Amino acid sequence: MDLTLEHARALDAADPLAAHRDRFVHHDDVVYLDGNSLGRLPRATPDALAHVVREQWGAGLIRSWPAWLEEARSTADLLGRVVLGVDAGQVHVGDSTTVSLYRLAVAAVRARPGRTRILVEADAFPTDLYVLDGVARDHGMELVRIDAPIDDGVRDEHLVPLLDDTVALVCLSQVHYRSGALLDLAGLTALAHDVGALVLWDLCHSAGAVEVPLAASGADLAVGCTYKYLNAGPGAPAFSYVRADLLPTMRSPIQGWFAQTDQFAMAPGFDPVAGIDRIAAGTPDVRGIVAVREGVRTIEAAGVQALREKGSALGAYVVALADAWLEPLGFRVASPRDDALRGAHVVLEHPEAWQACQAWIDAGVVPDFRTPDRLRIGLAALTTSFEDVWTGLDRLRTIVGIGAHHGYSTERGRVT
Ligand SMILES: Cc1ncc(COP(=O)(O)O)c(C=O)c1O
């Protein structure tokens, strides 16, 4: 591959998504390689939020609720159609990913009474491990960790030996947060279904970055956040997916009034609606939902397939530059090299990654750091250019090449 800056610019010139970059706010010339942690601000979002606050809240006051409830439903369906490729009525938007995961995990184990085990990837995102540990304890179940190499993630051979009819639930991330490994959602779901288990997918690092074959695979349940590739902003509400035919069997542990049939009858007994809102809890975060709508519209304008293609191309470009420039400096590509097995972030491991990360930030590049020694390079197809990648990795090779990172603390903390 041609590794010159001119070639990076030529790749940008030929990029069919290049024009989408202008739909986002770019304040300074920072090289932002962290769109997989917090996506950029869409230009349309501030005005959309101002409308909700000034007109609908300020002027409309409580009379705006019918429109807000309609907004909550239509945004959930929009996200389902655009990002997850599923029919309406199966997605709920609200609460955090952590709360959503808890809610669906409990509903799932309740739907498989008598089964005693929950399986989770050993290197799952910590909140998933914590939540499932609590769910297992509270239900007298065993939490079993699926061991798999971090870089490549869970494949059939890691899951199959653990599957039998004692398994109620399997929880996996479609794209692994620490390596970018992209799992076979359809194949792993089918294996779990063979023993009658339900599967709950964490889509935080895949929604808006890769195709999510929920419908085609008959996947059961999924959750994900909206502040990464969906560009809905810090703390924006998460989404939950429940396959329509499972809804009657899903009983949320949070029996809130927004799930109640004829909510304003104010009846004392809980009688949830039949549809997806049976997993709702309390009053929806309207401002957050409007930000989700605007974020999802940025995905809709490009299409998930085009995003996936560009994300793969950017990833392959990172790997090529890393092999040529960074491998001689002690870096190792800690993500699958095969584009088909990798999501939209690439991880570089280096024994001094923590120091390199701080020096990199001071050099105007924003990456992410993940333990133990990993620099995570997020490639948000809508906003990351090939030139960003070239410039970012060029600065990293300079820093580590001259040892500038040695001037930084080895004491770890939060950098981004
Ligand atoms: C894979 C994964 N799962 C779960 C979470 C937790 O999300 P939240 O903080 O929105 O509950 C994150 C957050 O980054 C994540 O990356």
Side-chain angles (χ1 to χ4, degrees):
M1 190 187 280
D2 182 345
L3 303 182
T4 61
L5 177 57
E6 289 65 38
H7 184 63
R9 289 179 175 155
L11 291 172
D12 285 329
D15 172 15
L17 295 184
H20 290 259
R21 201 172 151 90
D22 291 338
R23 299 175 74 111
F24 294 84
V25 172
H26 297 259
H27 251 300
D28 49 27
D29 58 2
V30 70
V31 178
Y32 193 60
L33 300 177
D34 212 359
N36 63 329
S37 228
L38 179 67
R40 282 189 183 271
L41 169 63
R43 282 192 193 282
T45 300
D47 284 348
L49 289 175
H51 175 73
V52 175
V53 173
R54 293 216 175 90
E55 315 303 326
Q56 294 188 314
W57 176 17
L61 289 167
I62 204 164
R63 292 166 293 184
S64 296
W65 267 113
W68 288 334
L69 293 177
E70 173 50 31
E71 186 65 59
R73 173 78 342 258
S74 63
T75 296
D77 286 342
L78 178 73
L79 189 155
R81 177 172 61 76
V82 169
V83 178
L84 308 177
V86 298
D87 290 339
Q90 302 177 98
V91 174
H92 169 72
V93 173
D95 311 301
S96 64
T97 313
T98 303
V99 169
S100 304
L101 188 95
Y102 171 74
R103 178 165 42 207
L104 291 191
V106 171
V109 299
R110 284 177 174 172
R112 289 291 179 274
R115 295 191 173 219
T116 55
R117 294 194 302 152
I118 299 172
L119 307 187
V120 62
E121 58 203 315
D123 196 45
F125 190 81
T127 211
D128 298 26
L129 294 175
Y130 308 154
V131 164
L132 295 173
D133 176 57
V135 172
R137 281 167 193 263
D138 290 348
H139 292 79
M141 301 174 78
E142 184 192 3
L143 182 64
V144 178
R145 294 171 184 226
I146 309 164
D147 277 318
I150 295 181
D151 293 2
D152 297 322
V154 174
R155 306 288 158 198
D156 294 7
E157 62 271 26
H158 308 117
L159 181 62
V160 168
L162 300 173
L163 286 173
D164 61 30
D165 63 8
T166 66
V167 178
L169 177 67
V170 180
C171 185
L172 296 166
S173 297
Q174 189 191 7
V175 174
H176 192 267
Y177 82 102
R178 213 199 292 260
S179 69
L182 172 65
L183 302 198
D184 175 8
L185 187 148
L188 293 165
T189 298
L191 289 172
H193 283 178
D194 285 346
V195 297
L198 293 166
V199 187
L200 171 51
W201 285 96
D202 181 332
L203 304 178
C204 282
H205 286 276
S206 45
V210 300
E211 283 114 346
V212 186
L214 289 179
S217 64
D220 307 295
L221 307 163
V223 295
C225 64
T226 60
Y227 46 76
K228 299 184 194 293
Y229 297 103
L230 300 188
N231 307 308
F239 64 85
S240 303
Y241 164 78
V242 180
R243 202 182 66 228
D245 62 288
L246 284 177
L247 280 169
T249 62
M250 288 291 120
R251 193 162 67 80
S252 168
I254 309 165
Q255 301 192 156
W257 73 313
F258 269 72
Q260 176 75 350
T261 303
D262 198 4
Q263 182 184 9
F264 284 95
M266 300 294 185
F270 184 60
D271 175 21
V273 297
I276 184 71
D277 286 340
R278 66 192 282 112
I279 67 164
T283 307
D285 167 9
V286 176
R287 286 161 294 171
I289 285 170
V290 166
V292 172
R293 181 194 71 204
E294 294 307 321
V296 171
R297 282 182 178 166
T298 66
I299 304 293
E300 185 179 29
V304 171
Q305 198 187 337
L307 294 171
R308 167 65 175 146
E309 282 164 17
K310 182 171 172 199
S312 287
L314 286 167
Y317 190 51
V318 170
V319 171
L321 292 175
D323 282 347
W325 296 349
L326 300 173
E327 198 258 352
L329 299 172
F331 284 91
R332 180 181 78 82
V333 174
S335 297
R337 286 173 166 275
D338 181 345
D339 294 351
L341 299 178
R342 192 183 61 240
H345 61 270
V346 178
V347 178
L348 302 177
E349 196 174 54
H350 188 280
E352 294 157 351
W354 174 249
Q355 289 165 293
C357 186
Q358 296 167 77
W360 212 12
I361 291 169
D362 278 353
V365 182
V366 180
D368 225 336
F369 175 83
R370 284 291 173 264
T371 54
D373 287 311
R374 289 172 173 238
L375 295 175
R376 196 172 67 172
I377 300 174
L379 305 162
L382 286 173
T383 55
T384 309
S385 66
F386 289 88
E387 184 169 345
D388 285 338
V389 170
W390 191 95
T391 307
L393 295 196
D394 182 52
R395 289 184 195 168
L396 184 60
R397 74 166 157 163
T398 303
I399 289 165
V400 178
I402 62 172
H405 61 299
H406 288 139
Y408 286 81
S409 170
T410 54
E411 199 166 313
R412 297 194 175 179
R414 186 181 175 120
V415 283
T416 56

